């Protein structure tokens, strides 16, 4: 095996993860929820759990679980609708604290980030010192708990923070990395899903230590290039840097219906609303996109997508809707639909290309700016096209480009939920 690039002797990566973030924000803001089993999600049993407080987890409730399953396990749990604005505000406060310790911050979502604090020793001490101070600042100023992992590489720091939960921190010295990883189950390896885990276990590889002992050649022979990847991680070899300039790959919005919808005509208003939400989010983030993606999930849970690329990037909702409508008609629907989603990829945050803008495009730009100003002052539902009178047009809790996650809303005026 070619030797991996050596990790700098004093390299320190801190992974910080807020504990049960959405649920903790709800418990913080409503004293009646303190110490209670709280589930954040929409009221529909067809939705999923967005967050579960630690009080409800002993019942087996976890995020991404179906709401129906969660309520069967914990029928007395308190279900709270998500409040995106509160989560964004808390996240901004937390990331402002991060920035006081290092500029090398790689956000993974609203509530999770890697920090490279290798150059901060003189100012703030070791990675352990930084993690301690960051967590204390978050507790004092944002009134939330966070866990942290400290290690020489990202992979190990992430595992350490997971093991430190809730409200703890765990440091793994560089020279103890392999010893730390050896007893952990193979499912901890990045890139190992249920099927790959089954294959590894079939070969007698139950732990990361067992993977490391097999050697790269043996793993590569049976698993291909992935074998080399798993071997490196099992030994804690992870040369990836913290990337503070991570940019969203897509901006999207999707909706799970309370009742399955049949036919293109029934879906059009919802796709229109999604297109407008995506466009509004693009404009807020200073982004434009060239490739439009339309996603449908039919009643048999089959997922179907269509996409098309525009000659130039756009942030105009009506333009996105018109092209998404064309994609919709390409599907040839023959069964009911339970979910639709619109997203834009091939994002561009640069200035518009110098060109002659026709009067129609200038008018659309002025209209969008006016609509944004009205929505900002009076709310997203204050003005909307006629076909969206009965459709939810507000940004959902996942209309966020930082985490590269699409929005999911319960429709017909329902609260947000995630598929």
């Amino acid at each position: 095996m070619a030797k991996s690039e050596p990790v700098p002797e004093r390299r320190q990566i801190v992974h910080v993860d807020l504990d049960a973030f959405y649920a903790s924000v709800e418990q913080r803001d409503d004293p009646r929820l303190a110490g209670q089993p709280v589930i954040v999600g929409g009221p529909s049993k067809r939705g999923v759990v967005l967050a579960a407080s630690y009080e409800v987890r002993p019942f087996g409730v976890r995020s991404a679980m179906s709401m129906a399953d969660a309520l069967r396990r914990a029928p007395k749990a308190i279900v709270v609708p998500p409040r995106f604005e509160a989560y964004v505000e808390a996240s901004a406060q937390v990331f402002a604290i991060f920035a006081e310790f290092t500029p090398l911050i790689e956000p993974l979502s609203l509530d999770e980030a890697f920090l490279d604090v290798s150059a901060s020793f003189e100012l703030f001490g070791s990675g352990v010192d930084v993690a301690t101070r960051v967590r204390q600042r978050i507790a004092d100023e944002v009134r939330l708990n966070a866990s942290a992992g400290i290690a020489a590489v990202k992979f190990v720091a992430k595992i350490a923070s997971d093991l430190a939960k809730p409200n703890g921190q765990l440091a793994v010295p560089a020279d103890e990395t392999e010893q730390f990883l050896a007893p952990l189950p193979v499912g901890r390896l990045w890139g190992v899903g249920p099927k790959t885990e089954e294959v590894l276990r079939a070969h007698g590889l139950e732990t990361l230590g067992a993977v490391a002992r097999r050697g790269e050649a043996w793993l590569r022979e049976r698993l291909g290039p992935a074998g080399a990847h798993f071997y490196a991680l099992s030994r804690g070899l992870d040369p990836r840097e913290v990337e503070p300039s991570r940019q969203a790959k897509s901006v999207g919005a999707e909706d799970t219906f309370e009742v399955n919808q049949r036919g293109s005509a029934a879906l059009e208003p919802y796709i229109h609303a999604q297109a407008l939400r995506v466009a509004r989010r693009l404009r807020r983030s200073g982004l434009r996109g060239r490739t439009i993606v339309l996603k449908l999930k039919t009643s048999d849970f089959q997922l179907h997508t269509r996409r098309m690329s525009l000659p130039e990037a756009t942030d105009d909702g009506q333009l996105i809707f018109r092209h998404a409508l064309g994609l919709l008609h390409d599907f040839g629907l023959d069964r009911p639909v339970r979910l639709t989603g619109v997203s834009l990829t091939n994002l561009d945050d640069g200035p518009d290309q110098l060109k002659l803008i026709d009067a129609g495009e200038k008018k659309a730009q002025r209209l969008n700016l006016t609509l944004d100003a009205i929505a900002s002052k009076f709310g997203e539902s204050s003005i909307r096209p006629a076909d969206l009178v009965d459709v939810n047009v507000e940004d959902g809790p996942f209309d966020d480009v930082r985490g590269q996650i699409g929005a999911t809303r319960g429709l017909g005026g329902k609260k947000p939920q995630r598929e």
Side-chain angles (χ1 to χ4, degrees), residues 336-357:
V337 174
R338 60 178 281 115
L339 173 149
T340 63
V342 175
S343 61
L344 260 72
T345 64
N346 290 335
L347 302 183
D348 177 12
D349 61 356
D352 294 345
Q353 182 178 356
L354 185 62
K355 61 175 183 173
L356 294 176
I357 302 178

Side-chain angles (χ1 to χ4, degrees), residues 95-331:
F95 275 81
I97 293 172
F98 293 162
E100 293 187 30
F101 291 88
T102 176
L104 300 178
I105 304 165
E106 180 178 337
L108 302 180
S109 63
L110 288 176
D111 59 335
E112 182 181 6
F114 286 112
L115 284 66
D116 187 334
V117 298
S118 304
S120 302
F121 283 88
E122 297 298 329
L123 287 174
F124 305 114
S126 69
V128 171
D129 296 328
V130 172
T132 300
R133 294 177 64 176
V134 165
R135 292 177 53 244
Q136 189 62 55
R137 290 276 303 275
I138 293 172
D140 292 343
E141 299 172 26
V142 195
R143 295 186 293 122
L144 295 173
N145 291 331
S147 297
I150 306 98
V153 298
K154 291 165 73 173
F155 172 61
V156 179
K158 175 70 169 73
I159 291 179
S161 71
D162 287 344
L163 295 179
K165 284 182 171 291
N167 195 27
Q169 68 182 54
L170 176 61
V172 181
D175 59 358
E176 298 178 18
T177 296
E178 289 194 61
Q179 180 183 346
F180 166 75
L181 293 175
L184 300 178
V186 291
R188 285 284 184 180
L189 288 169
W190 280 345
V192 171
K195 291 184 178 179
T196 304
E197 183 174 356
E198 186 177 332
V199 171
L200 291 172
R201 291 184 182 278
H203 286 296
L205 304 179
E206 300 281 343
T207 66
L208 273 64
V211 174
R213 288 190 296 272
R214 283 291 189 178
E216 181 183 359
W218 189 94
L219 291 162
R220 183 185 288 274
E221 180 181 347
R222 287 156 180 82
L223 301 174
H229 167 74
F230 296 147
Y231 174 72
L233 289 184
S234 71
R235 297 188 56 213
L237 303 176
D238 179 15
R240 295 170 307 147
E241 302 290 339
V242 170
E243 301 177 18
S245 60
R246 287 180 83 233
Q247 186 181 39
K249 296 179 181 178
S250 67
V251 175
E254 63 184 44
D255 300 282
T256 300
F257 305 131
E258 296 283 354
V259 178
N260 291 342
Q261 302 293 314
R262 184 180 290 275
S264 297
L267 298 175
E268 288 180 12
Y270 302 116
I271 292 173
H272 193 179
Q274 291 160 4
L276 295 181
R277 278 159 39 202
V278 169
R280 185 166 57 246
R281 194 69 183 120
L282 286 167
R283 293 193 295 272
R284 287 177 181 171
S285 304
L287 297 170
R288 298 159 74 89
R290 288 190 64 243
T291 301
I292 299 169
V293 181
L294 178 65
K295 175 170 69 173
L296 301 182
K297 182 180 288 187
T298 48
S299 55
D300 57 357
F301 289 86
Q302 294 297 308
L303 192 61
H304 310 271
T305 60
R306 296 285 189 278
R307 66 185 63 221
M308 65 161 297
S309 292
L310 304 173
E312 296 175 351
T314 186
D315 60 9
D316 181 67
Q318 297 300 342
L319 179 63
I320 296 169
F321 171 57
R322 288 196 297 273
H323 288 292
L325 205 56
L327 295 174
L328 174 64
H329 295 151
D330 288 342
F331 275 100

Side-chain angles (χ1 to χ4, degrees), residues 79-100:
V79 179
V80 179
R83 296 178 300 131
F84 180 58
E85 293 80 4
Y87 310 145
V88 170
E89 180 180 357
S91 176
Q93 291 176 281
V94 169
F95 275 81
I97 293 172
F98 293 162
E100 293 187 30

